[in-house]
Amino acid sequence: MPLSFPYVGTFTYVFESIARGMKRDDIIVPDEPTYRTKQLGSQHSSEFVCTPFKMLLGSIIEVIEKGAYEIVATVFVDYCRLGYYSPLYQFILEDLGYDFDLINLDWFNKIEFFTSFKKLACNVNAVQAFQAFRVGWIKNRYIDQIDKSLYSYGAVEIEKGASYKVAHKLYRQVVETEGMKNIRMLPEIIQKTFDDEVEIDTEAKPLKVGVVGELYAVVEPAINLDIMRRLNDIGVITETPITFTRWIDLGQRMNPFKKWHYKACIKHAKPYVRYPLGGKTRESLGAVIEYKEKGWDGVIHLYPFTCMPEIISRSILPQVSREHDMPVLSLVLDEHTGEAGIQTRLEAFVDLLERKRNDRNGF
Amino acid sequence: MIDSREKYFLGVDVGSISTNLAVIDNSKELIESVYIRTDGKPVNSVQKGIKMMRDQLGEDLVISGAGSTGSARKLTGVLIGADIVKNEITAHALASLHYNPDVQTVMEIGGQDSKIIIIRNGIVVDFAMNTVCAAGTGSFLDMQANRLEIPIEKFGELALQSDNAVSIAGRCTVFAESDMIHKQQLGHPTKDIIKGLCEALGRNYLSNVGKGKDIRPPIMFQGGVAANIGMKETFEKYLEQEIIVPEHYDVMGAIGSAILAQEDAIKRSKKSNFQSWDISEMDFQTSGFECDGCSNICEIVEIRRNDTLIARWGSRCRKWDLID
């Protein structure tokens, strides 16, 4: 039965790798979300549901239209409405009369997780399935590495768009590399390709801005209007600490010495919020302090319109920003495609950071 | 007034409602300004504005640098050949600082945007703009003035005549409008409703845009809405501070943009890109088409000057881009 999944930023490549590793040759790779995806999603969802819900629904409908039957809907649940995503998709898609099987990979519900996982891995035995998953989490590290290089080389590249091209070539290469020995070579290849193929301006002194906020809003360029690339275009190095590594990378999770960025953030956020509130509330708050300590210049906080947890962070952020003297820009995202508003705010924010830096350096 | 040895700089601010032009001299003093309506046609309004400016200053005046700002800054930049294209927050802050170097808070309410800029020691340290909602901006006031058939210029005066503001929900323009209609059908006098509306918008601005901001005096209030004395009084009431409305409150964006052009000219060795005063006679064509390369169906815009393609943008994948 054709297998597919909704498109979620560059994580899509990891997913494709895992499915390939499980010898599923009937995968339907989702397309990048477009204007049509947004429209499809909002047409069939309730008005005030989170924007990521709508986008993912649109993406699921698009893969069903392409012939998918088994669909991996969510990988984990949270304290917010994310927990309702899957059951709601089930209802909505049934009402629309589609023929499908929604697979839930809910890590917190171990029994369900393993039954679903077994369904996915119907072509291989348990050891092979685990191996495929392991390859997946290792490749995820390299995908993250490409993302990180892309958004730092992109800020200082001489020929505009060069790093973007290189990154897209490398994503494919990571997905297609087979055999653990070859996979282990990837980090070097990635570094070398960026070094060789992207000519950078060594004189530039780029500002550095961290992007935090709600998971989907941060990782999916289709909803955040490609904010990281926009920052690159105005000469700002950027990165996001929010990736899927923390959930799927069992190798790093079992390593007691691994320093997790998000854990440090949560610790920083303790004076403001002590309990998990869903989403990335505590992480968004703590990241402001974490980036300040790392010597970065500012933080951009993204949240989808009506996202419950991030609305909480948005109201506490001004206080954190003031107390730690770290500029923060909160941006709310929805279906709108009017880019002028976002561009104005970004440019003004970067101007502010630049003047602040010059002032500090005594120019 | 016009000195041939002096250098002059032009700033153009094209917003959703108005198009403003300002010419300053080397010491950043305003020489002449133009304020006209955009009427949804930025190209025409820029041409018209340039023509009016030329008629006022004479075409012999040489422009040594030009800047553009406002939501149509990219388009305007191409049309006039701007040396510097900058966002309106920076432009407004610079203009305010020029008129009052001690200013600590700038409140700007324009047609579609409302913003607050926090300045300390002459540097922008924080800013905020309205988020998903346009409640409390000029467009809404304009719409209501039209509905009540009161010229927008009289709006503030009328509000001042009232000493009994009715309560109106300012959270959302839809709620505000239904409240206003309800109050009007109950028989409340128009001036009370208008005063109520000003107060509602002021409250909405302070709790939405000004949320969590440290508003310290001196406070400057500018943008088209600053013409409304009713709004000024509302802010004075809620903030319990004196509000300064600068003399050229309606063209501050353009002045800021001209200042940016002046600062840029000092660093730049090349001649200015500024087209010439003949912009109003040139034939600008904007045309659009839908790209069918993928299902994003991007709307591509092309701008031609006298039949030569000078700019093209709008594609998400950037394959059509023809700028920079």
Side-chain angles (χ1 to χ4, degrees):
Chain A
M1 289 292 188
L3 169 75
S4 193
F5 41 89
Y7 193 96
V8 188
T10 46
F11 185 67
T12 311
Y13 298 113
V14 180
F15 213 99
E16 195 188 336
S17 309
I18 299 179
R20 278 172 174 230
M22 291 183 182
K23 304 218 165 56
R24 297 288 303 244
D25 39 21
D26 49 356
I27 336 163
I28 291 175
V29 182
D31 293 325
E32 280 181 41
T34 59
Y35 180 59
R36 182 168 176 268
T37 321
K38 286 186 187 181
Q39 271 189 323
L40 267 179
S42 30
Q43 194 185 340
H44 300 298
S45 343
S46 88
E47 188 197 351
F48 276 109
V49 78
C50 351
T51 320
F53 180 94
K54 300 179 184 176
M55 300 277 287
L56 290 170
L57 178 66
S59 190
I60 291 177
I61 295 178
E62 284 186 335
V63 292
I64 294 181
E65 283 175 351
K66 278 173 85 177
Y69 178 76
E70 288 180 316
I71 293 145
V72 181
T74 40
V75 193
F76 54 91
V77 292
D78 209 334
Y79 296 89
C80 66
R81 287 187 281 200
L82 186 57
Y84 293 109
Y85 275 29
S86 251
L88 273 175
Y89 287 149
Q90 185 78 32
F91 287 135
I92 293 172
L93 295 169
E94 270 172 16
D95 282 352
L96 289 173
Y98 289 117
D99 191 20
F100 63 96
D101 182 12
L102 218 55
I103 299 178
N104 277 315
L105 289 177
D106 176 3
W107 182 244
F108 295 109
N109 182 347
K110 302 283 188 296
I111 299 170
E112 201 196 337
F113 181 86
F114 284 108
T115 9
S116 309
F117 201 77
K118 216 177 145 196
K119 229 196 261 175
L120 277 180
C122 54
N123 293 347
V124 288
N125 63 33
V127 179
Q128 285 169 314
F130 180 76
Q131 180 59 17
F133 191 53
R134 181 163 162 254
V135 168
W137 84 56
I138 292 170
K139 284 190 177 177
N140 185 40
R141 292 176 198 166
Y142 306 147
I143 296 281
D144 285 355
Q145 189 198 341
I146 302 175
D147 282 341
K148 210 172 163 166
S149 307
L150 164 61
Y151 294 121
S152 36
Y153 280 82
V156 287
E157 63 191 7
I158 286 171
E159 186 201 334
K160 282 282 159 217
S163 13
Y164 188 77
K165 271 185 215 137
V166 170
H168 279 255
K169 192 177 75 182
L170 286 167
Y171 289 137
R172 279 309 336 153
Q173 193 177 346
V174 170
V175 174
E176 266 141 40
T177 307
E178 280 174 21
M180 198 42 89
K181 209 179 139 201
N182 297 332
I183 291 172
R184 291 288 185 200
M185 306 271 284
L186 283 170
E188 259 174 65
I189 298 175
I190 294 169
Q191 188 58 47
K192 203 171 168 322
T193 320
F194 270 104
D195 280 342
D196 290 353
E197 296 183 20
V198 184
E199 198 189 339
I200 57 165
D201 177 7
T202 43
E203 298 283 291
K205 289 191 182 60
L207 291 160
K208 290 178 173 177
V209 173
V211 178
V212 297
E214 195 272 337
L215 169 75
Y216 189 80
V218 171
V219 301
E220 180 49 65
I223 182 177
N224 64 31
L225 301 168
D226 228 343
I227 194 157
M228 303 191 58
R229 206 169 161 200
R230 274 171 201 279
L231 282 168
N232 274 180
D233 281 351
I234 42 181
V236 176
I237 287 188
T238 171
E239 69 158 37
T240 174
I242 297 170
T243 69
F244 284 83
T245 307
R246 66 182 73 166
W247 293 287
I248 71 156
D249 201 329
L250 298 186
Q252 292 195 2
R253 279 174 65 150
M254 279 188 282
N255 175 358
F257 301 107
K258 163 82 187 167
K259 284 200 175 65
W260 292 96
H261 187 274
Y262 77 97
K263 286 190 177 158
C265 292
I266 287 174
K267 216 167 161 186
H268 284 311
K270 218 164 177 186
Y272 303 97
V273 176
R274 278 188 293 163
Y275 313 99
L277 296 169
K280 307 276 161 296
T281 322
R282 292 182 297 168
E283 188 179 343
S284 300
L285 294 171
V288 176
I289 305 164
E290 182 70 14
Y291 276 115
K292 171 86 188 176
E293 287 178 0
K294 270 171 75 180
W296 283 46
D297 299 284
V299 167
I300 291 181
H301 171 236
L302 301 175
Y303 68 106
F305 189 47
T306 79
C307 172
M308 303 186 302
E310 293 305 326
I311 286 170
I312 303 172
S313 2
R314 198 243 172 273
S315 356
I316 308 176
L317 274 170
Q319 190 193 343
V320 185
S321 160
R322 200 165 50 235
E323 289 179 3
H324 294 269
D325 184 32
M326 182 71 162
V328 177
L329 175 69
S330 275
L331 290 174
V332 56
L333 305 164
D334 197 31
E335 288 160 48
H336 49 226
T337 47
E339 299 162 1
I342 274 211
Q343 191 67 29
T344 303
R345 287 161 178 80
L346 284 184
E347 285 176 18
F349 187 62
V350 171
D351 272 354
L352 179 159
L353 298 181
E354 210 153 324
R355 278 176 194 258
K356 191 175 147 91
R357 180 172 70 176
N358 290 347
D359 189 49
R360 199 173 48 220
N361 295 348
F363 284 119
Chain B
M1 194 162 76
I2 308 295
D3 184 342
S4 59
R5 283 162 302 173
E6 181 65 274
K7 281 184 168 175
Y8 296 96
F9 302 91
L10 172 72
V12 185
D13 174 6
V14 184
S16 55
I17 298 279
S18 69
T19 296
N20 320 318
L21 288 86
V23 169
I24 60 167
D25 63 17
N26 219 354
S27 51
K28 302 182 188 175
E29 283 316 309
L30 183 69
I31 303 295
E32 193 63 75
S33 71
V34 167
Y35 178 97
I36 53 172
R37 293 225 156 203
T38 307
D39 289 328
K41 299 185 198 73
V43 178
N44 290 2
S45 65
V46 169
Q47 288 185 298
K48 200 172 137 198
I50 292 274
K51 187 167 185 299
M52 286 168 73
M53 192 57 106
R54 183 184 60 184
D55 293 346
Q56 285 166 12
L57 293 173
E59 49 192 316
D60 297 333
L61 185 109
V62 179
I63 293 295
S64 316
S68 74
T69 185
S71 41
R73 59 180 178 278
K74 198 165 151 187
L75 176 66
T76 315
V78 171
L79 294 184
I80 64 167
D83 302 301
I84 184 159
V85 178
K86 265 268 191 234
N87 63 81
E88 49 272 35
I89 291 175
T90 309
H92 274 285
L94 278 176
S96 313
L97 281 166
H98 173 64
Y99 287 101
N100 187 343
D102 301 323
V103 69
Q104 298 212 76
T105 309
V106 178
M107 304 197 292
E108 198 269 347
I109 306 187
Q112 281 287 330
D113 283 326
S114 46
K115 36 189 152 318
I116 188 162
I117 309 169
I118 306 291
I119 300 173
R120 295 287 180 268
N121 305 321
I123 287 177
V124 178
V125 291
D126 197 4
F127 70 90
M129 284 173 87
N130 56 333
T131 47
V132 275
C133 163
T137 56
S139 314
F140 180 61
L141 280 176
D142 219 31
M143 210 168 76
Q144 293 310 322
N146 258 331
R147 198 175 62 81
L148 296 167
E149 294 192 330
I150 300 167
I152 184 81
E153 298 79 17
K154 293 268 157 46
F155 222 75
E157 276 171 47
L158 212 59
L160 284 193
Q161 286 168 19
S162 157
D163 36 38
N164 179 36
V166 298
S167 84
I168 284 175
R171 185 115 194 78
C172 164
T173 54
V174 182
F175 298 164
E177 179 158 353
S178 43
D179 256 12
M180 285 175 68
I181 292 176
H182 173 70
K183 297 279 149 86
Q184 136 206 333
Q185 308 298 57
L186 282 179
H188 286 281
T190 312
K191 58 179 189 190
D192 289 359
I193 297 177
I194 290 180
K195 175 136 177 152
L197 178 66
C198 289
E199 295 202 347
L201 296 188
R203 275 198 307 273
N204 181 45
Y205 175 88
L206 292 175
S207 62
N208 180 358
V209 184
K211 181 166 65 188
K213 299 280 177 262
D214 186 11
I215 300 176
R216 290 194 207 162
I219 305 168
M220 257 195 188
F221 178 31
Q222 56 203 47
V225 175
N228 186 331
I229 336 167
M231 289 297 290
K232 175 179 180 253
E233 192 158 89
T234 304
F235 283 130
E236 286 182 334
K237 177 178 158 193
Y238 287 119
L239 291 172
E240 295 171 358
Q241 297 283 359
E242 192 206 345
I243 306 285
I244 308 162
V245 176
E247 190 189 344
H248 309 291
Y249 64 88
D250 51 349
V251 291
M252 291 295 265
I255 296 176
S257 178
I259 295 179
L260 280 163
Q262 189 251 355
E263 287 179 356
D264 175 70
I266 301 171
K267 286 181 278 178
R268 176 169 36 92
S269 48
K270 287 189 308 195
K271 243 182 99 220
S272 169
N273 280 330
F274 179 68
Q275 286 293 332
S276 70
W277 287 115
D278 302 333
I279 293 167
S280 56
E281 271 75 54
M282 288 176 189
D283 178 31
F284 287 102
Q285 293 285 332
T286 56
S287 57
F289 62 89
E290 282 183 349
C291 168
D292 52 6
C294 74
S295 58
N296 265 326
I297 319 180
C298 296
E299 290 143 355
I300 319 293
V301 181
E302 287 184 329
I303 295 131
R304 285 166 203 278
R305 180 178 56 225
N306 301 339
D307 288 332
T308 33
L309 186 65
I310 51 171
R312 182 166 60 201
W313 56 64
S315 55
R316 224 155 295 174
C317 64
R318 304 174 189 211
K319 85 169 167 192
W320 296 102
D321 283 15
L322 190 86
I323 188 168
D324 293 333

